[in-house]
Amino acid sequence: MTLKRLFIQNLRNLNSVDINPSDRVNLIFGENGSGKTSVLEAINVLALGRSFRSHKHKPLIHHDQLEFTVFGKVKADDGADVPIGINRQRDGSASYKANGNLVPSAADLAVYLPIQVISADTFLLLEGAPKVRRQFMDWLVFHVEPKFFPLWKDCQRCLKHRNSLLRRDRMPSNNGGRSLELASWDQELAFLTEQIDILRARCVEQFKVSFYDLLKEFISLDGISIDYYCGWNSDKLFAEILHAGLERDIQLGYTQIGGHRADLRITVNGQDAAEILSRGQQKLLVCALKIAQGFVFSQMTGRKTIYLVDDLPSELDEKNRTLLAKWLDSMETQVFITGVEQDSLLSIWQNIPNVVTKLFHVEQGSVKEIVKTFVE
Ligand SMILES: Nc1ncnc2c1ncn2[C@@H]1O[C@H](COP(=O)(O)OP(=O)(O)OP(=O)(O)O)[C@@H](O)[C@H]1O
Ligand SMILES: [Mg+2]
């Protein structure tokens, strides 16, 4: 799966960009504020309907414009070209197109363009709230388990209904009466949660194998462990715990436990990795998590994920930059990497033979290919 053509109109300072990326390494350089991260954001928007920098769409629309458009031609795994596109308006409306047809949501585009982002924010994977790691885990589950997304959507709906019933039952006017409705939502919630748990647990097991292999091969960090937490005490059935916690849930007005509390616990000798590892070690560990994710995705689906790496040189020292470049190279996938200095970006790839590289210069919102490929 590669992005063969990328067209961007009125996204941040990018008024009109039309490029044909390499199906391997794309190096994007330019001064601060020129628009490099915006190019990666545009690819992210095309893949997921939103940016990796902000969940709001308005900051993405060029100040002077009412809408932005991103269009891409994706080479599917069967070799067919699939056009996909997204348009977002200032009033909030959005349209998504795949293969010439309107599709209902960004999730319908996500299947065409699996991407992984490595940026400064990616380090929140270790430091951030469980939600960040849950999203990381669910990316893999979404892409390898077709049953996951409909179950997840139903589960979200169910949880919302349950929470509003909990709040209703808390009202004095209800005389403490427990609604029968709640019992039926509980049953459905328990069923969906247990199904989601099975899919997540299965993916995380696969993921752990690849991740530990990758660590052994490249990093000398002992005692690192990844453990899946399903969101409740897993010795008991979820339905039982949900029932036992009902009074407390009513008092609180929301459901305390469940798959919406799932997490990936990343520790070093039993302690939180974010509290133990140095900044550089954390960065490398996060890169290893991202690479392992793409690797497992490829093993389980036979497809490849695209990597967007924002401002690589500033995030890692030289040794680790080269290590990441080797990891990315071993994935044989399409990558987009930004950096301020042309030479420092190029030097990272110089030790890796036979890499087809395209170089793009970004200047005040316009992107030009520099015809200077280096193939050893
Ligand atoms: N909605 C918008 N409309 C127009 N310009 C915008 C909008 N949002 C951001 N910008 C500008 O777009 C430019 C590109 O930002 P971007 O973050 O892509 O730069 P960059 O090349 O990644 O810079 P850096 O090297 O500092 O990371 C910036 O000058 C920014 O101020
Ligand atoms: Mg940037």
Side-chain angles (χ1 to χ4, degrees):
M1 188 125 311
T2 51
L3 193 55
K4 282 176 67 180
R5 183 179 165 205
L6 176 65
F7 171 81
I8 308 162
Q9 198 171 43
N10 301 332
L11 186 138
R12 296 208 191 263
N13 71 335
L14 307 172
N15 284 117
S16 176
V17 171
D18 195 352
I19 55 171
N20 297 303
S22 155
D23 60 8
R24 290 297 301 280
V25 179
N26 296 282
L27 304 174
I28 302 166
F29 74 97
E31 287 177 357
N32 291 136
S34 55
K36 306 177 295 297
T37 302
S38 305
V39 174
L40 302 191
E41 276 187 295
I43 301 174
N44 203 92
V45 164
L46 191 58
L48 295 168
R50 58 179 158 74
S51 157
F52 53 86
R53 278 207 287 199
S54 159
H55 280 252
K56 296 182 198 145
H57 76 279
K58 273 188 197 153
L60 292 173
I61 302 172
H62 190 287
H63 299 317
D64 305 335
Q65 305 293 329
L66 294 173
E67 60 183 331
F68 74 74
T69 302
V70 185
F71 164 82
K73 203 187 274 174
V74 175
K75 188 172 165 200
D77 299 305
D78 61 4
D81 282 349
V82 183
I84 59 174
I86 175 167
N87 171 278
R88 290 222 66 166
Q89 310 268 338
R90 222 169 249 287
D91 66 9
S93 58
S95 56
Y96 311 93
K97 264 189 166 181
N99 243 336
N101 302 312
L102 282 171
V103 290
S105 72
D108 298 283
L109 300 183
V111 289
Y112 291 103
L113 208 57
I115 55 163
Q116 286 284 348
V117 179
I118 299 177
S119 71
D121 288 347
T122 313
F123 303 113
L124 288 173
L125 249 184
L126 294 185
E127 302 168 341
K131 185 181 178 191
V132 185
R133 287 177 294 281
R134 199 163 51 243
Q135 281 174 345
F136 171 79
M137 165 170 70
D138 285 348
W139 181 92
L140 188 62
V141 196
F142 172 88
H143 281 289
V144 306
E145 300 280 4
K147 279 196 242 158
F148 174 74
F149 189 58
L151 285 169
W152 182 86
K153 266 202 313 199
D154 285 350
C155 194
Q156 294 294 107
R157 180 180 51 85
C158 209
L159 202 58
K160 215 170 126 191
H161 276 286
R162 186 178 194 267
N163 286 346
S164 67
L165 285 174
L166 287 170
R167 284 191 287 275
R168 196 186 70 186
D169 282 3
R170 200 172 47 165
M171 304 298 260
S173 60
N174 204 35
N175 292 326
R178 300 287 166 262
S179 69
L180 282 172
E181 255 182 295
L182 198 55
S184 80
W185 284 106
D186 280 7
Q187 217 178 6
E188 194 183 344
L189 183 64
F191 170 78
L192 294 166
T193 302
E194 279 162 9
Q195 297 297 305
I196 287 172
D197 174 46
I198 293 169
L199 301 179
R200 279 178 172 157
R202 193 156 70 201
C203 275
V204 173
E205 275 317 301
Q206 294 262 6
F207 175 77
K208 279 163 77 169
V209 175
S210 290
F211 176 69
Y212 292 141
D213 280 353
L214 196 71
L215 279 192
K216 254 192 293 185
E217 205 179 326
F218 292 103
I219 319 181
S220 54
L221 286 177
D222 292 331
I224 292 183
S225 172
I226 293 208
D227 295 290
Y228 166 58
Y229 169 64
C230 62
W232 67 94
N233 175 356
S234 58
D235 295 345
K236 292 185 187 158
L237 280 177
F238 177 67
E240 283 174 26
I241 307 182
L242 194 65
H243 186 67
L246 182 61
E247 288 302 324
R248 180 96 199 271
D249 284 355
I250 289 173
Q251 274 166 22
L252 291 167
Y254 63 85
T255 309
Q256 281 185 91
I257 54 146
H260 58 292
R261 287 289 164 91
D263 195 359
L264 269 186
R265 293 184 169 160
I266 307 169
T267 53
V268 181
N269 297 319
Q271 283 184 277
D272 194 348
E275 286 169 11
I276 296 289
L277 299 178
S278 78
R279 194 79 193 139
Q281 287 172 326
Q282 288 187 33
K283 287 177 177 178
L284 202 57
L285 180 60
V286 165
C287 291
L289 286 165
K290 289 278 178 171
I291 299 287
Q293 179 91 294
F295 189 74
V296 179
F297 169 75
S298 161
Q299 263 183 339
M300 291 176 85
T301 63
R303 299 165 67 205
K304 292 198 167 151
T305 177
I306 296 172
Y307 279 86
L308 310 180
V309 186
D310 196 24
D311 211 358
L312 173 66
S314 74
E315 292 300 337
L316 294 168
D317 67 23
E318 201 182 325
K319 186 172 134 245
N320 287 335
R321 269 183 253 159
T322 307
L323 181 56
L324 177 60
K326 282 189 181 145
W327 281 348
L328 289 168
D329 183 58
S330 68
M331 306 277 300
E332 296 184 352
T333 190
Q334 187 176 37
V335 294
F336 293 82
I337 301 178
T338 68
V340 177
E341 301 284 339
Q342 176 183 181
D343 290 346
S344 104
L345 268 183
L346 285 169
S347 70
I348 300 165
W349 297 92
Q350 258 152 13
N351 302 325
I352 302 173
N354 303 320
V355 188
V356 180
T357 308
K358 274 196 182 184
L359 190 61
F360 296 94
H361 183 210
V362 188
E363 202 172 17
Q364 291 181 6
S366 81
V367 184
K368 287 200 187 74
E369 186 182 341
I370 308 279
V371 187
K372 179 189 167 191
T373 56
F374 73 96
V375 180
E376 292 291 314

